[in-house]
Amino acid sequence: MADTVPHLKLTYEGANKVLAAAVAKANAMGVPQCIVVADDGGHMLAFARMDGAKVLSIDSATMKAKTAASSRVPTGGIPDAVLEGRLVAATQGKLTNLKGGFPIVVDGKVIGAIGVGSGTGEQDIEVALAGLAALSGAKTAF
Amino acid sequence: MADTVPHLKLTYEGANKVLAAAVAKANAMGVPQCIVVADDGGHMLAFARMDGAKVLSIDSATMKAKTAASSRVPTGGIPDAVLEGRLVAATQGKLTNLKGGFPIVVDGKVIGAIGVGSGTGEQDIEVALAGLAALSGAKTAF
Amino acid sequence: MADTVPHLKLTYEGANKVLAAAVAKANAMGVPQCIVVADDGGHMLAFARMDGAKVLSIDSATMKAKTAASSRVPTGGIPDAVLEGRLVAATQGKLTNLKGGFPIVVDGKVIGAIGVGSGTGEQDIEVALAGLAALSGAKTAF
Amino acid sequence: MADTVPHLKLTYEGANKVLAAAVAKANAMGVPQCIVVADDGGHMLAFARMDGAKVLSIDSATMKAKTAASSRVPTGGIPDAVLEGRLVAATQGKLTNLKGGFPIVVDGKVIGAIGVGSGTGEQDIEVALAGLAALSGAKTAF
């Protein structure tokens, strides 16, 4: 393998597009949300706390985005509570198995993640997927 | 929606009125309590640790108030222990599902929260509701 | 004083308007920034990390917004390094004296704060003030 | 020495008397304050955040009370910055040398402490001393 490989980088403009689409979906659903769009290192690029969303969901949505950026798969898929507990402990609480975090995948490359929180798990997923759908070429089926 | 919307702010005088009523109720019950009244951001406005109340309930009562201010509903309503554990972990322990935290709601607006701890969950609830009842127009049925 | 007093609440729409104006200013200056808009409790409402802005400025911009929301004055005004060190220690690092944080003041009421970081202190101030200027009625001279 | 010795315990009623006097003084001065009254273990008994006091002063006032309860002398007396730094580090940041914390001393016994923050150091001291003066027999000259 070469020393470096081509990659794609999610811009703030791209992140903001994902964010705006997710906000629009949450508005249409009548479910206020905290929405984080992060880069492939899990670091926040864009954020919205909609009117009525929970303050503590700032934390959980952020952790969903970080977990999805790291694992490259949607959050919520750890099937076993014992394994989940070990993973949470081994990362000193940086990982969450709450639903609502998704990697942003374009051309097979993980370029970032979205994390949504303040609704039910299913509502969070719906809003996150609406965000992904706004980014040309982003994977929306997992 | 507009850039700003009319809101209400809980004053220290109002917070102290809620606190005093909760203290009086706890005295009448013979159950010493730690009682926190917070603003809508979850930041403490007024506090009492009655004679005999537990020192560690300073922490739990504070967390109940912060959780209720964030979620805008009474604490203790997360029905599932697995979900509860995940929410606690994802907020790095900032959220509690212990009973005894209530939002302070006036004219449909959440303007603060009360958190009570050191008794049983049911005693904590009774004291918190007595605090709410002292504030003119505050919601006391949840 | 009454139990409650009339207040104003910064909406997500208002916060996003402040954010967008600050981003536009930073773009015009050619200085990528991390920009946080928070409510009056210091809790994040809207955020942007522009292309090229520092990852660690996510933290410093957030702390500038929290400090300005708490103190109700622009950050950077503590004149004495010894006092600054004591205040930072006594808040366990929650307070910053870096320039670039401003309260959002409308009708004499502090309804939120903006924190900007990744440029020089003077650049951060310039971007923050451009954000404030976008909000109708917000104070821009301190 | 005997296995146990007579002591005095500050009640919530006593703590609340100190708090109310300090609040009244701060009101008269027109300086909103965060005021903590703690027991001899440094654990909070009573608290007020007056309208306009800084949110982050919740932390600093609490730390002033804890420091004064522990050291049994007013805070702010460490004369040497190097020593201060070592003490702060050696207590993992639990000690403050900010002015505004005083032990509550009755009959030569330290039974608690008051910590005041949000004003200047001198204002904080003035409010703390007014609180002490409300408690019969409490030392007010240091």
Side-chain angles (χ1 to χ4, degrees):
Chain A
M1 189 181 239
D3 290 347
T4 59
V5 292
H7 195 56
L8 288 173
K9 194 180 175 79
L10 182 61
T11 62
Y12 172 65
E13 184 172 330
N16 204 25
K17 189 178 292 184
V18 172
L19 184 74
V23 168
K25 178 66 174 181
N27 264 327
M29 292 167 64
V31 179
Q33 295 278 20
C34 287
I35 303 164
V36 171
V37 183
D39 65 19
D40 59 355
H43 300 301
M44 196 185 282
L45 281 168
F47 173 78
R49 177 161 57 97
M50 298 166 64
D51 302 324
K54 298 167 193 161
V55 163
L56 292 180
S57 298
I58 301 172
D59 294 295
S60 54
T62 301
M63 205 178 286
K64 290 174 188 182
K66 285 182 186 282
T67 300
S70 169
S71 67
R72 300 185 177 80
V73 293
T75 58
I78 305 171
D80 176 326
V82 173
L83 178 61
E84 179 184 343
R86 286 174 181 159
L87 287 167
V88 169
T91 58
Q92 303 195 305
K94 293 179 194 159
L95 174 150
T96 185
N97 198 31
L98 286 169
K99 292 176 183 174
F102 285 83
I104 302 177
V105 187
V106 175
D107 290 349
K109 297 176 174 71
V110 175
I111 62 170
I114 181 169
V116 178
S118 204
T120 65
E122 296 311 314
Q123 289 169 334
D124 297 348
I125 288 174
E126 197 172 345
V127 169
L129 290 175
L132 295 180
L135 196 73
S136 178
K139 183 176 174 180
T140 55
F142 293 88
Chain B
M1 187 178 242
D3 293 346
T4 59
V5 290
H7 197 56
L8 287 174
K9 195 181 177 76
L10 182 62
T11 62
Y12 172 64
E13 184 171 329
N16 204 26
K17 188 176 291 184
V18 172
L19 183 74
V23 168
K25 178 67 175 181
N27 264 326
M29 292 167 65
V31 179
Q33 294 278 21
C34 286
I35 303 164
V36 172
V37 182
D39 65 18
D40 60 356
H43 300 301
M44 196 185 281
L45 281 169
F47 173 78
R49 177 161 58 94
M50 298 167 64
D51 302 326
K54 298 166 193 160
V55 164
L56 292 182
S57 298
I58 302 172
D59 293 297
S60 55
T62 301
M63 205 181 287
K64 289 175 188 181
K66 286 182 185 282
T67 299
S70 168
S71 68
R72 298 181 178 79
V73 292
T75 57
I78 304 170
D80 175 328
V82 172
L83 178 60
E84 176 185 344
R86 285 172 182 163
L87 289 169
V88 169
T91 58
Q92 302 196 306
K94 292 179 195 162
L95 174 150
T96 184
N97 198 32
L98 285 169
K99 292 176 182 174
F102 286 82
I104 301 176
V105 186
V106 175
D107 290 349
K109 297 175 175 71
V110 175
I111 62 169
I114 182 170
V116 179
S118 203
T120 65
E122 295 312 314
Q123 290 169 334
D124 298 349
I125 288 174
E126 198 172 344
V127 169
L129 290 176
L132 295 181
L135 194 73
S136 178
K139 183 177 175 181
T140 55
F142 293 88
Chain C
M1 186 180 244
D3 294 345
T4 59
V5 290
H7 196 57
L8 287 174
K9 195 181 176 76
L10 183 62
T11 62
Y12 172 65
E13 185 172 328
N16 204 26
K17 189 178 289 184
V18 172
L19 183 75
V23 168
K25 179 67 173 182
N27 263 327
M29 292 166 65
V31 178
Q33 294 277 23
C34 287
I35 304 163
V36 171
V37 182
D39 65 19
D40 59 357
H43 300 301
M44 195 185 283
L45 281 168
F47 172 78
R49 177 161 58 95
M50 298 167 62
D51 303 326
K54 299 164 193 162
V55 163
L56 292 181
S57 298
I58 301 172
D59 294 298
S60 56
T62 300
M63 205 180 289
K64 290 176 188 181
K66 285 181 184 284
T67 299
S70 169
S71 67
R72 298 183 178 79
V73 293
T75 57
I78 304 170
D80 176 327
V82 172
L83 179 60
E84 175 185 345
R86 286 173 182 162
L87 288 168
V88 168
T91 57
Q92 303 197 302
K94 292 180 194 161
L95 175 150
T96 184
N97 198 32
L98 285 170
K99 292 177 182 175
F102 287 83
I104 302 177
V105 186
V106 175
D107 289 347
K109 297 175 177 70
V110 175
I111 62 169
I114 181 170
V116 178
S118 203
T120 65
E122 295 311 314
Q123 290 169 334
D124 296 349
I125 287 174
E126 197 172 344
V127 169
L129 290 175
L132 295 181
L135 194 71
S136 178
K139 184 177 176 182
T140 56
F142 293 87
Chain D
M1 187 179 245
D3 290 349
T4 59
V5 292
H7 194 55
L8 288 173
K9 194 180 174 78
L10 182 62
T11 61
Y12 172 64
E13 184 172 330
N16 204 26
K17 190 178 291 182
V18 172
L19 183 75
V23 168
K25 178 67 173 181
N27 263 327
M29 294 167 62
V31 179
Q33 295 277 22
C34 287
I35 303 165
V36 171
V37 183
D39 64 19
D40 60 356
H43 300 301
M44 195 185 282
L45 281 169
F47 173 79
R49 177 160 57 95
M50 297 166 63
D51 302 325
K54 299 165 194 163
V55 163
L56 291 179
S57 298
I58 301 172
D59 294 297
S60 55
T62 301
M63 206 179 285
K64 290 174 189 182
K66 286 180 185 284
T67 300
S70 168
S71 68
R72 299 183 179 78
V73 293
T75 58
I78 304 171
D80 176 325
V82 172
L83 179 59
E84 178 184 344
R86 285 174 182 159
L87 288 168
V88 169
T91 58
Q92 303 196 305
K94 292 179 195 159
L95 175 150
T96 184
N97 198 30
L98 286 169
K99 292 175 183 174
F102 286 82
I104 302 176
V105 186
V106 176
D107 290 347
K109 297 178 175 70
V110 175
I111 62 169
I114 182 169
V116 179
S118 204
T120 65
E122 297 311 314
Q123 291 168 334
D124 297 348
I125 287 173
E126 197 172 345
V127 169
L129 290 175
L132 295 181
L135 196 71
S136 177
K139 182 176 176 181
T140 55
F142 293 88

